[in-house]
Amino acid sequence: MRFVIVGYGRVGSRTATILAEEGHEVIIVDDDMDRIERATDDGFETVHGDGADEDVLVDAEIETADAIGAFTPDLNANFAACMVGTHHGCRTVLRIDEDYREDIYEKYAEEVDEIIYPERLGAAGAKTALLGGDFNVVADLAANLQLTVLEIRDGSPAVGKRMSELELPESARIYAHGRAREPLTIPLPGTELEVGDEVAVITEADRAEEVRSTLLPASA
């Protein structure tokens, strides 16, 4: 499949890497030359320009793409990019910040195919959304469950511990793990956590803070 990724920040770069490693074709659009150069160095085809501009997306051959992921921090720019994608028959995935208001969500939700929250789902969720998978299936089965992706930082009590040694709440499970700038994969019990690692956790919503205290520094 072919994907246009708008925004080569943390979410966009990791999503692009995962898609490329799975054999998909990815083109990066960003208005920041430093990020474009980084994407080029990472082996991606790139277009320098505003992803909200239809001409720029046409340069990225949006008309032949299967989906567009708009992952910049700018909600309006992301929405504009998705609308261009809709016009050209693409599946559209919109990034929205986690501190959204319900009215904002309702405003955009009907216009795009999927909305993602990077703070909760990370790149693995973005990739699933682009491919058309239903990453909300867990929430549909149990509304009290929460998906979150956390970075292991310096000072975390989890640093140096194996997955099997983590004292998480009984209801919490780590379902994916990745080293810095690497895709998330299924975790192994003997894997030792390092600073910069990311872990994807599913937990009951009322135990989320307990999970955070196990994986994050006390000051976080």
Side-chain angles (χ1 to χ4, degrees):
M1 298 177 71
R2 188 173 186 280
F3 301 99
V4 174
I5 301 295
V6 178
Y8 200 67
R10 182 178 179 83
V11 177
S13 62
R14 290 184 65 91
T15 304
T17 298
I18 293 171
L19 288 168
E21 288 179 348
E22 293 185 358
H24 301 290
E25 182 181 352
V26 181
I27 184 166
I28 305 298
V29 177
D30 203 300
D31 60 2
D32 184 286
M33 199 61 209
D34 288 340
R35 288 196 289 268
I36 285 293
E37 291 176 355
R38 180 159 57 88
T40 301
D41 291 342
D42 289 342
F44 292 106
E45 183 181 353
T46 62
V47 172
H48 180 224
D50 184 355
D53 186 329
E54 183 169 9
D55 289 339
V56 172
L57 292 178
V58 169
D59 288 342
E61 301 180 1
I62 187 70
E63 66 274 8
T64 64
D66 293 286
I68 181 171
F71 301 143
T72 80
D74 186 334
L75 174 58
N76 291 323
N78 291 346
F79 184 70
C82 285
M83 292 304 94
V84 174
T86 297
H87 176 72
H88 288 277
C90 288
R91 177 176 176 79
T92 54
V93 178
L94 172 76
R95 169 186 172 176
I96 190 171
D97 290 333
E98 188 166 1
D99 58 350
Y100 72 95
R101 300 195 310 272
E102 189 67 26
D103 59 324
I104 293 178
Y105 177 88
E106 292 175 355
K107 175 182 178 181
Y108 293 107
E110 293 184 0
E111 304 294 331
V112 299
D113 291 302
E114 204 72 72
I115 288 179
I116 65 156
Y117 310 90
E119 293 82 357
R120 293 183 183 180
L121 294 171
K127 183 212 72 169
T128 302
L130 282 162
L131 291 171
D134 185 4
F135 58 76
N136 287 316
V137 65
V138 174
D140 292 339
L141 292 171
N144 66 320
L145 294 182
Q146 178 177 322
L147 302 172
T148 188
V149 177
L150 299 173
E151 180 180 353
I152 304 300
R153 308 174 196 168
D154 190 25
S156 165
V159 172
K161 288 187 177 180
R162 294 184 174 88
M163 291 286 182
S164 59
E165 296 174 335
L166 294 174
E167 297 180 359
L168 295 172
E170 185 176 348
S171 61
R173 295 289 184 275
I174 293 177
Y175 64 91
H177 164 264
R179 300 294 185 200
R181 295 185 60 78
E182 293 181 2
L184 297 177
T185 59
I186 296 174
L188 299 175
T191 299
E192 285 192 8
L193 290 169
E194 301 174 359
V195 174
D197 286 7
E198 284 189 331
V199 290
V201 185
I202 183 169
T203 183
E204 293 178 347
D206 59 1
R207 308 300 294 274
E209 284 305 313
E210 190 175 344
V211 169
R212 290 176 62 87
S213 67
T214 301
L215 299 174
L216 297 180
S219 59

